[in-house]
Amino acid sequence: MKRFNTAGTCRPNEHYMVDITERVEIIRKMVAQGDYFCINRGRQYGKTTTLEALPQALASEYTVFKLSFEGASQEAFASLPITFAYFLKSLLFNARLGLTALDEAALQVLEKATEGKDSISDLDFAYTIPMLCRANSKPIVILIDEVDQAGNYDSFLLFLGVLRKMFLSRASLPTFQSVILAGVYDIKNLKLKMRPEDEHQYNSPWNIAAPFNVDMSLSADGIKGMLDDYEADHHKGVDTAEVALWIREYTNGYPFLVSRLCQLMDEQDDWSHEGFLNAVKALLNEHNTLFDDMVKKIEQFPDLKLLLKEQLFSGESRKYNPDNKALQLAERFNIICIHDNTFSLVCRIMETRIYEYFMAEEYESEIYTAGSIEKPQFIKGDGLDMPLLLQKFSEHFNEIFRTEDGTMDTKFVEKQGRKQFQLYIRPIINGTGHYYVEAETRDETRTDLIINYNNHEYVIELKIWRGDSYNNKGENQLFEYLRLKKQKTGYLVSFCFNKGKTPGLLPSVEQDGCTLIEVIV
């Protein structure tokens, strides 16, 4: 029986997976054009699964060698001649084991080139590759996964430079039809990782690479197709179209997160909306390789950490600058996505998890402690007494941050107000609910926060007070958003610097059957 898989390569006969035929066909066309290119995506974003599907898709036209540098020893990259030998022996190993169907004449070329040799000279390597390609009846394609494992070695970069030289000379000497490298870093980033202070870090040995702009995220239709396959086997009565939309909304099609949510719903045998939210909660609270690697990257690169913190807590829709190194890293690690010349966190789940990472640094703060102490009075049945919660937040915020003369640090509130509210609610919903920020409504003056608590949803807009007319505009925006979310009640938290404004709850406002409850902070 097939299952959902989040550990290693997905295989169609063993695992429920989204059909990647369209993606593979785009790559097949690039190979036919003779492109050399890199498949660079963040961890667990479908690179290896894609490479696993390629040999079979290309087998009728090409001889395909699928290699991996995962686990390659340091000795394999001790020098360029040793790397040449390691590469050719890897090809021979695959051919002898029947992993690659190589013509006998081509096999003899490899055996002769490597017999009794631990190193191979530049000249011998430059002779062997054309002879190998000439002796084989089909063009040869090289796939190398986990190239990051070799990224710290000069010999590997020199090796790529040799392949590049052969590529440029292929009109006169036969060489590989296509070379495909897969990893988190592209070759420019490999240089960056190895020597971040080196002024020559942009001199890539792989500047022949064709752009690889294939969308590897999973679409709602693709997720539905995977769930249809599951439903045909298990007959659970899953509304596959609706569940696919929920998953896509929270994951933006991030392959690991899609499969993990499906795993969790399958394990708890609950494909309802409540079951989905429980799966989201479980995912956000677990340690897994994706989240652990994400935290590692944030801690490894201080500029990346600062960028993400400013993005999450500033409330602004940030412009994308392709020359910003922190943005380059965030994009490379699939932490952000680009749209309309702005960037945002790649998906709701990743954003919430990164929020939690930053929040954990301030769990001893006064506002967090206040929320933790006040928690019991906010629980009302299986939901939250949101008006009381907002009232108490306003009281605590003013006690902590407003000075004796009634003034408040404007710059602090503009930068920290939203963050302080999130710190306050975190211990209140901990263990039972979660929250996320609606990326589509984020701007410098407004942020919509959605709290899910025991299958109840609370829509809260956080904004800076800019006067009555602006406030009325904000109320209308929230009413419109409530109708979009099919909610009857919304909440507005207005951070106000006007001494004439008394903190606390305002009278509720009604519009077209919806109620708006506002608190002045």
Side-chain angles (χ1 to χ4, degrees), residues 182-360:
V184 173
Y185 297 88
D186 62 20
I187 300 309
K188 183 187 296 184
N189 289 124
L190 284 173
K191 296 283 280 188
L192 176 65
K193 183 176 70 168
M194 186 172 63
R195 290 189 297 271
E197 77 287 351
D198 192 338
E199 64 180 352
H200 302 298
Q201 61 185 292
Y202 293 114
N203 294 335
S204 169
W206 208 239
N207 56 15
I208 56 172
F212 183 76
N213 298 319
V214 179
D215 184 1
M216 294 178 66
S217 66
L218 307 181
S219 67
D221 287 342
I223 298 169
K224 179 184 181 302
M226 175 178 66
L227 295 176
D228 286 340
D229 192 14
Y230 171 86
E231 177 63 16
D233 286 343
H234 296 273
H235 308 289
K236 297 287 187 178
V238 180
D239 186 337
T240 58
E242 189 171 31
V243 174
L245 289 175
W246 299 338
I247 293 173
R248 173 70 188 186
E249 184 181 16
Y250 271 72
T251 66
N252 201 23
Y254 200 114
F256 173 85
L257 298 174
V258 169
S259 293
R260 185 64 185 132
L261 285 176
C262 290
Q263 271 185 330
L264 290 166
M265 284 186 283
D266 181 42
E267 290 169 4
Q268 66 192 21
D269 195 23
D270 188 351
W271 293 86
S272 67
H273 191 252
E274 183 175 2
F276 169 73
L277 293 177
N278 286 335
V280 169
K281 182 172 66 176
L283 175 56
L284 287 170
N285 288 328
E286 74 177 12
H287 280 287
N288 57 51
T289 53
L290 176 62
F291 292 157
D292 290 346
D293 185 71
M294 176 188 68
V295 169
K296 179 181 177 182
K297 292 294 191 299
I298 292 172
E299 294 179 346
Q300 183 179 359
F301 297 99
D303 288 346
L304 174 63
K305 183 174 184 178
L306 179 61
L307 172 83
L308 295 175
K309 185 175 285 190
E310 289 180 348
Q311 168 70 7
L312 291 176
F313 296 115
S314 70
E316 298 180 11
S317 179
R318 301 286 296 279
K319 295 295 183 183
Y320 175 68
N321 178 356
D323 297 319
N324 183 297
K325 291 182 181 179
L327 276 173
Q328 290 174 3
L329 288 171
E331 186 178 10
R332 180 61 56 209
F333 300 145
N334 282 110
I335 296 175
I336 64 169
C337 58
I338 314 302
H339 45 84
D340 298 330
N341 202 35
T342 63
F343 71 92
S344 60
L345 274 291
V346 67
C347 69
R348 188 174 293 173
I349 285 181
M350 290 283 275
E351 178 171 273
T352 303
R353 185 61 183 242
I354 296 174
Y355 265 122
E356 292 301 305
Y357 166 77
F358 287 128
M359 290 292 186

Side-chain angles (χ1 to χ4, degrees), residues 87-138:
F87 175 73
L88 292 179
K89 287 181 179 181
S90 296
L91 300 185
L92 180 60
F93 177 84
N94 275 29
R96 281 177 171 170
L97 287 181
L99 301 176
T100 301
L102 192 66
D103 291 355
E104 183 61 31
L107 182 63
Q108 290 178 11
V109 171
L110 282 178
E111 288 178 338
K112 183 177 180 180
T114 58
E115 186 175 6
K117 295 181 179 178
D118 293 325
S119 65
I120 293 173
S121 69
D122 294 25
L123 187 61
D124 285 343
F125 187 78
Y127 174 78
T128 299
I129 299 303
M131 291 297 293
L132 172 67
C133 294
R134 187 173 290 162
N136 200 56
S137 58
K138 293 180 180 179

Side-chain angles (χ1 to χ4, degrees), residues 24 327 410:
V24 171
L327 276 173
T410 302

